[in-house]
Amino acid sequence: MWPMTTPAAVIVDATAYAQAVEDATRAAAAYYAGGSSPMDDDAYDRLARGIAAWEAEHPGEVLPDSPTGKVAGGAAEGDVPHTVPMLSLDNVFSPEEFTAWTESLARRVDREVARFAVGPKLDGLAVAARYHAGRLTRLITRGDGTAGEDVSHAIGTVEGLPETLAEPVTVEVRGEILMTTAQFEHANEVRIQHGGQPFANPRNAAAGTLRAKERAYTVPMTFFGYGLLALPETGDELAGRLDELAYSELMETAAGLGVHTSAGTAVPDVVVETPEQVVARVQEIAALRAELPFGIDGIVVKADLAADRRAAGSGSRAPRWAIAYKLPAVEKITRLLAVEWNVGRTGIVAPRGVLEPVVIEGSTITYATLHNPADITRRGLRLGDHVMVHRAGDVIPRIEAPVAHLRTGEEEPIVFPDACPRCGSDIDTSEERWRCAQGRNCHLVASLAYAAGRDQLDIEGLGTTRVVQLVEAGLVADLADLFLLGREQLLALERMGETSTDNLLAALDRAKEQPLSRVLCALGVRGTGRSMSRRIARYFATMDHIRAADAEAMQRVDGIGVEKAPSVVAEIAELAPLIDKLAAAGVNMTEPGATPPPPADADGATAEAPGDGGPLSGMKVVVTGAMTGNLERLSRNEMNELIERAGGRSSSSVSKNTSLVVAGEGAGSKRAKAEQLGVRLATPEEFAVLVADLLG
Ligand code: IVH
């Protein structure tokens, strides 16, 4: 079962009611005219239900414009009268509401309804197609239900609506015109080629296309019939026969005449007998929704038998013999806050939209796919735009289009990356889908460049460009290969003279001596950045002890909880071959100054935390501002390493638990906070004295 739709809007007084009616009228007019509505379906439904609730309490104050009192939509320059009004449908949103409807229907017809026809509620536009002697003569939109617009110019562009019927009958076929997903994509492509803005969704595309009279191009649409009725000119015999047919028989007749109906689809109209069977069928259709090649926004349930339909009759807005069982909206309007660029396994650089969270079908959506840069450009998206977000089933939500008329002018262009956001290499932009020039090697380049970085192995002269060169030359396929590079191999590379080669080899030699904490950090185990790597290395002291640790032992490291411990242990186990190779290449695997933990006692507790006994033992230290004197050359990471070697814990924010703030030149808010909280302050020079033993 899907979640219930959001509740009705709450209307508190007559002023709010008038505003609500105005908003709903404007949205409905835009919707039926095929324009882009400032409200998504869900918001509209909520508003309409709020209006109905208020009117029920204030029957004397109902405004003439209210969407509840008339056929939704209003006339869009309608000039062709309908022979029989084209009505709308009432909605239900849950099994309970549906049961209530069947009960009221049974009361009205004075018996249980014997058979229900259940089929898809097609998300398009209602039209009436008039056939005279089997020839399609006129196509009319619903308009305000009494009269609609003549859109006969579209005849010939609508699949499923034959220009000639199989028999020379005079009838009106009613149904829905829509664009299938494929037709919608095609229509947008053609429209963009002609310099137009893409349509936000298939419904808008069908509406816009149907009403466009003088377009330089035509794009196909699809018709689904759901009604067959006599025209005044229809012979009595046929008219009388149609009156007696069950809905299911009418549809068979229509199909027999050559009209497209739901019959050939994955969700054909079926006839069932009980309300329970209806609800079961509703759920089946809902489950198939995401895979359908066309959009549905609900399920239509109709009394099948002509006698039941006659007995139920119609109101001014909707028939009483049919109901729309609405499915939760799959499209909502929200804002595009940012665009992230992610690099996939194959090196594809794909944009992803970060959204203002919005609930669609019961789940909160915060990300949506944006296919590629060209697509962003085509859709004319900007940061801060209101966007239509579409989500069907479990598919990743996608951004359909900006809602251009909601722009404030504050929107900003989306900036495309000019280098691979993961490894920093060039991006191949020759195809629509951008790709890191490293392709599948992107990950390797990124991880090697990270390992060589200043806070990890600090290998001078090994930036991204050089890493790319080594990878492309096939000289390195993993981190350990770096330490196996030979002088001749390097010299053979372009732009590698004797000096650069010797410098790089020397830097690699120095890197082998880096403390275990940095080697561990260079391995890039998820969830273990610089400070976590230091904590692990200081706790276990040697790589062998780290590798011997199970999840329980891993949890004894400060900051590693039940969730993180097993993944760290598993990843280290996976890295075993690489670690062995690094050790064999002579890379240091111990943490200077740390001692391995004693074996755990029965409770799993260890005696003493490593680092105890140092000059900063038990202290929480924050460093801020520029370091001077002996500490001048130390990066912030190196300062933190120093603090931890001295038995302290480094932290980046000052609180009342902070023991010491080392404030260098230019220290600002952190020093102020320390003063305010009465936390001990030290200059870099004073601090250097404290840890003099460790500065060597
Ligand atoms: S039967 C008297 N069947 O939904 C109206 N309508 O929201 C009987 N619609 O106005 C309509 N799919 O435009 C019917 N299978 C279906 C439908 C369907 C879509 C539309 C129709 C109607 C609107 C009401």
Side-chain angles (χ1 to χ4, degrees):
M1 200 59 226
W2 54 88
M4 286 277 291
T5 30
T6 30
V10 176
I11 293 174
V12 289
D13 57 17
T15 318
Y17 167 69
Q19 184 63 52
V21 168
E22 192 185 320
D23 292 349
T25 312
R26 193 169 332 102
Y31 182 88
Y32 284 102
S36 41
S37 166
M39 240 181 266
D40 47 48
D41 285 1
D42 220 35
Y44 182 83
D45 279 338
R46 252 184 294 140
L47 192 63
R49 281 188 289 152
I51 290 171
W54 194 87
E55 288 175 353
E57 306 246 305
H58 307 84
E61 293 170 60
V62 173
L63 290 171
D65 275 353
S66 167
T68 58
K70 59 170 192 169
V71 176
E77 303 155 39
D79 52 8
V80 184
H82 291 299
T83 51
V84 177
M86 281 188 87
L87 299 182
S88 186
L89 288 171
D90 286 331
N91 298 322
V92 292
F93 295 88
S94 65
E96 295 73 33
E97 287 182 21
F98 174 72
T99 310
W101 175 76
T102 55
E103 284 163 6
S104 76
L105 181 60
R107 278 196 300 278
R108 193 170 277 278
V109 303
D110 224 6
R111 58 176 177 267
E112 293 292 317
V113 168
R115 294 151 68 91
F116 295 98
V118 191
K121 182 169 186 319
L122 305 145
D123 195 8
L125 297 103
V127 292
R130 291 189 186 161
Y131 284 90
H132 286 93
R135 289 189 54 81
L136 180 53
T137 51
R138 217 164 197 194
L139 196 57
I140 310 152
T141 66
R142 175 165 63 180
D144 67 355
T146 326
E149 200 178 340
D150 189 323
V151 288
S152 303
H153 57 269
I155 292 174
T157 65
V158 188
E159 287 166 21
L161 196 58
E163 286 178 56
T164 321
L165 294 178
E167 284 174 47
V169 286
T170 295
V171 286
E172 184 167 288
V173 178
R174 288 184 177 182
E176 205 82 351
I177 287 190
L178 51 71
M179 276 192 192
T180 62
T181 313
Q183 285 172 335
F184 167 60
E185 276 161 19
H186 170 73
N188 268 353
E189 263 170 43
V190 175
R191 189 168 161 84
I192 289 155
Q193 276 161 17
H194 284 82
Q197 272 282 316
F199 287 113
N201 55 39
R203 202 184 167 282
N204 285 359
T209 304
L210 186 61
R211 300 185 66 226
K213 286 216 166 86
E214 272 150 33
R215 266 213 198 135
Y217 56 92
T218 57
V219 287
M221 297 180 280
T222 298
F223 177 81
F224 283 86
Y226 53 64
L228 180 63
L229 51 145
L231 283 169
E233 308 88 309
T234 310
D236 288 345
E237 192 272 330
L238 176 61
R241 206 150 41 86
L242 291 180
D243 270 355
E244 289 312 312
L245 292 185
Y247 177 77
S248 48
E249 292 166 334
L250 280 173
M251 288 303 96
E252 278 165 31
T253 310
L257 290 170
V259 172
H260 183 228
T261 66
S262 68
T265 71
V267 286
D269 275 74
V270 297
V271 176
V272 299
E273 287 175 0
T274 66
E276 293 71 33
Q277 289 168 336
V278 172
V279 172
R281 181 61 188 158
V282 163
Q283 288 176 14
E284 281 167 20
I285 297 181
L288 290 167
R289 181 191 202 183
E291 282 121 63
L292 293 177
F294 48 83
I296 66 171
D297 59 344
I299 288 96
V300 184
V301 185
K302 297 159 182 144
D304 190 43
L305 299 180
D308 284 342
R309 293 208 309 276
R310 238 189 333 263
S314 290
S316 63
R317 197 190 97 93
R320 296 196 188 90
W321 47 263
I323 196 83
Y325 196 127
K326 292 284 283 238
L327 294 177
V330 286
E331 263 178 1
K332 287 257 180 98
I333 295 171
T334 186
R335 284 180 66 228
L336 176 62
L337 301 178
V339 173
E340 290 178 357
W341 299 84
N342 298 309
V343 189
R345 210 166 22 88
T346 58
I348 297 287
V349 182
R352 174 167 92 153
V354 183
L355 306 172
E356 204 165 83
V358 60
V359 178
I360 306 184
E361 281 194 290
S363 23
T364 304
I365 312 293
T366 36
Y367 294 105
T369 353
L370 283 165
H371 303 275
N372 52 55
D375 198 54
I376 293 177
T377 310
R378 260 200 306 267
R379 290 171 200 263
L381 282 170
R382 297 172 72 87
L383 288 184
D385 258 338
H386 284 84
V387 289
M388 186 66 90
V389 180
H390 179 98
R391 181 191 130 109
D394 293 333
V395 185
I396 303 170
R398 59 172 192 267
I399 292 178
E400 301 260 81
V403 186
H405 68 279
L406 291 180
R407 283 201 170 139
T408 61
E410 308 267 292
E411 295 77 16
E412 286 177 15
I414 293 170
V415 182
F416 295 172
D418 46 18
C420 170
R422 187 160 69 188
C423 81
S425 299
D426 288 344
I427 300 181
D428 174 358
T429 60
S430 61
E431 307 268 325
E432 277 220 333
R433 297 204 317 159
W434 287 12
R435 195 160 184 224
C436 168
Q438 293 308 310
R440 287 176 189 278
N441 274 338
C442 169
H443 186 73
L444 177 62
V445 170
S447 63
L448 293 179
Y450 172 78
R454 184 164 181 204
D455 291 337
Q456 289 72 2
L457 296 178
D458 194 14
I459 309 173
E460 224 173 292
L462 195 59
T464 297
T465 324
R466 188 114 293 156
V467 172
V468 165
Q469 205 184 5
L470 293 170
V471 169
E472 281 180 350
L475 295 180
V476 285
D478 64 30
L479 182 58
D481 284 343
L482 286 175
F483 299 99
L484 305 174
L485 286 169
R487 196 162 187 274
E488 296 310 312
Q489 285 176 316
L490 290 174
L491 278 172
L493 294 174
E494 265 178 56
R495 302 183 307 279
M496 279 297 273
E498 304 243 338
T499 321
S500 345
T501 298
D502 291 337
N503 286 345
L504 180 56
L505 287 171
L508 283 164
D509 269 340
R510 283 195 303 276
K512 288 186 196 166
E513 303 309 318
Q514 289 285 9
L516 173 63
S517 57
R518 286 175 165 247
V519 176
L520 187 61
C521 191
L523 288 172
V525 175
R526 253 164 299 163
T528 63
R530 291 166 306 191
S531 73
M532 185 58 77
S533 298
R534 284 199 299 273
R535 266 181 259 162
I536 297 173
R538 292 204 57 76
Y539 183 85
F540 289 106
T542 74
M543 184 61 99
D544 287 342
H545 282 85
I546 295 178
R547 290 169 73 171
D550 57 11
E552 207 188 321
M554 194 55 75
Q555 271 180 59
R556 284 185 215 120
V557 176
D558 193 12
I560 297 193
V562 256
E563 273 171 41
K564 198 162 181 172
S567 76
V568 172
V569 169
E571 228 176 305
I572 286 173
E574 263 172 49
L575 288 166
L578 178 60
I579 295 172
D580 288 339
K581 197 167 159 189
L582 284 165
V587 174
N588 168 53
M589 293 287 166
T590 59
E591 186 69 2
T595 40
D601 63 22
D603 303 333
T606 54
E608 212 187 349
D612 273 5
L616 300 179
S617 172
M619 290 171 73
K620 202 172 148 199
V621 185
V622 174
V623 180
T624 178
M627 294 299 103
T628 42
N630 280 353
L631 307 176
E632 189 174 349
R633 307 181 75 86
L634 299 191
S635 69
R636 195 50 40 94
N637 182 54
E638 287 164 333
M639 278 297 288
N640 292 339
E641 286 176 335
L642 179 59
I643 291 165
E644 286 163 26
R645 265 190 286 131
R649 273 198 65 182
S650 60
S651 158
S652 57
S653 60
V654 180
S655 74
K656 63 179 189 334
N657 299 325
T658 308
S659 331
L660 176 68
V661 173
V662 185
E665 260 166 45
S669 62
K670 288 183 191 175
R671 150 183 260 145
K673 184 132 189 226
E675 279 168 355
Q676 186 201 331
L677 294 172
V679 170
R680 180 178 160 199
L681 279 155
T683 62
E685 288 71 22
E686 289 163 346
F687 180 75
V689 175
L690 263 178
V691 294
D693 282 355
L694 292 129
L695 282 173

